[in-house]
Amino acid sequence: MEVTERRTSQDFAQQMKALVDEHLPDAEMIRVVIDNLNTHTPAALYEAFAPEEARRLTRKLEFH
């Protein structure tokens, strides 16, 4: 994971994509513990990516 200069929904979505595709590509499910920052939501994935890509990512992510 990276530290980014900002904490936008785009930044969050890119980090989640990297988590799924680069850091843990063989994982069946990734449990992600997130804070209450309003940009840290599954909806950020749908804002950043096409619906098919966002759904592919959210299927592997379990947010807490």
Side-chain angles (χ1 to χ4, degrees):
M1 302 305 292
E2 298 176 29
V3 175
T4 59
E5 195 170 307
R6 301 171 306 156
R7 296 180 300 182
T8 67
S9 59
Q10 288 285 326
D11 295 330
F12 177 73
Q14 292 299 327
Q15 291 298 318
M16 293 299 99
K17 182 173 175 35
L19 183 65
V20 169
D21 292 341
E22 298 170 25
H23 299 287
L24 299 168
D26 297 327
E28 289 181 29
M29 179 62 60
I30 304 166
R31 289 180 181 91
V32 182
V33 179
I34 55 177
D35 61 15
N36 290 329
L37 189 64
N38 64 347
T39 59
H40 293 171
T41 67
L45 297 161
Y46 287 90
E47 293 172 12
F49 305 115
E52 303 82 30
E53 177 68 354
R55 183 69 185 133
R56 179 185 73 83
L57 296 169
T58 57
R59 283 188 179 143
K60 292 189 82 172
L61 298 168
E62 181 180 293
F63 294 102
H64 294 275

